[in-house]
Amino acid sequence: MIVVLVTVGFSFIQDDWKLIPNEINYLFNIHPSTLIISLATIDAIDVFSGERAKGFSITWRAASIYFNVLIYLMLGPYLFFKGFKKAKSNQDNAKPWYWYIGGAICIGSFMIIPVEIRHLHSYYSEVYNSNMENVDKSRESDLMRTELAEVGFAAAQHEILEDGVNESFEIEDLNLHDLKYDHSVVSIESDTLLVISVSNPEQPDLGHVMEVRPYSESVLRIRN
């Protein structure tokens, strides 16, 4: 009852009445690993940027980690065990008031374990899935860019050898087979500039545009 009432009461006071500053949440944070990861990530970003890592300074977030270790691993078991010994020495085996507080803290500490495991699992699953999605998207974009370059070189060769780039020119005129993506002519400005594009029906947000200049030193140029 203590665990339930304290948790619900704290949430009600904090969310509905706004009587307690938001910083106090860190003192009862049951996800210290999240703070450790965030602080370590900030340091990693600073090091990667060539700056000096700030480390773990004394802030509300850093203090909450030590505060929770003190409460859940030291104060709670101490009060619970001390109250148990006190009750054992009494003839009626009555528990002192601090035994209930220590017991509530111990119950709360055991509740943290499954909650933290679930939180870390969902966090890393989300990060892993997001990273894998970005990796697949980046790989697909590179393949589209590579195939567009092949089509661009073929178009430049078609113009130089056959003088075949005109207003009626289409990608099909290149007789390229086994193209995985959709290529189209965006614009034709005489025989000096041909703009072609590539798209993927399965991923409409991906696409590239290339300028083909057959008679220039820079034959191909990708543009966004």
Side-chain angles (χ1 to χ4, degrees), residues 2 79 83 94-103:
I2 291 176
L79 294 177
K95 304 293 190 301
W97 61 270
Y98 49 82
W99 180 86
Y100 296 95
I101 297 179

Side-chain angles (χ1 to χ4, degrees), residues 74-188:
M74 300 177 65
L75 182 61
Y78 171 76
L79 294 177
F80 182 75
F81 182 71
K82 184 178 180 181
F84 178 78
K85 290 185 62 177
K86 181 70 174 179
K88 195 174 183 179
S89 62
N90 295 334
Q91 295 182 354
D92 54 356
N93 199 28
K95 304 293 190 301
W97 61 270
Y98 49 82
W99 180 86
Y100 296 95
I101 297 179
I105 295 176
C106 289
I107 293 175
S109 64
F110 283 113
M111 291 172 60
I112 291 176
I113 297 175
V115 172
E116 187 66 15
I117 292 176
R118 182 178 178 276
H119 176 75
L120 289 175
H121 180 268
S122 60
Y123 174 80
Y124 283 112
S125 296
E126 182 179 354
V127 172
Y128 175 80
N129 293 332
S130 177
N131 288 339
M132 290 303 298
E133 182 179 352
N134 292 333
V135 168
D136 293 338
K137 191 173 182 179
S138 178
R139 183 186 299 112
E140 193 73 12
S141 180
D142 291 339
L143 292 175
M144 293 173 62
R145 189 182 294 109
T146 300
E147 188 174 277
L148 180 62
E150 296 176 0
V151 175
F153 274 116
Q157 183 180 12
H158 183 69
E159 163 60 24
I160 295 173
L161 298 180
E162 304 181 20
D163 193 20
V165 176
N166 48 50
E167 294 182 356
S168 62
F169 172 77
E170 298 290 343
I171 299 298
E172 289 75 12
D173 298 339
L174 301 176
N175 294 322
L176 296 176
H177 304 287
D178 301 328
L179 292 179
K180 182 179 179 182
Y181 306 105
D182 295 339
H183 300 265
S184 60
V185 177
V186 177
S187 63
I188 300 176

Side-chain angles (χ1 to χ4, degrees), residues 28-92:
F28 301 97
N29 176 44
I30 62 173
H31 301 300
S33 60
T34 305
L35 301 180
I36 296 174
I37 293 173
S38 63
L39 294 174
T41 301
I42 294 174
D43 285 345
I45 294 174
D46 291 338
V47 172
F48 184 78
S49 303
E51 301 177 2
R52 185 175 182 179
K54 299 180 180 62
F56 288 84
S57 58
I58 302 301
T59 62
W60 277 101
R61 295 189 176 188
S64 69
I65 300 174
Y66 305 112
F67 187 75
N68 281 275
V69 170
L70 177 65
I71 290 180
Y72 293 115
L73 298 183
M74 300 177 65
L75 182 61
Y78 171 76
L79 294 177
F80 182 75
F81 182 71
K82 184 178 180 181
F84 178 78
K85 290 185 62 177
K86 181 70 174 179
K88 195 174 183 179
S89 62
N90 295 334
Q91 295 182 354
D92 54 356

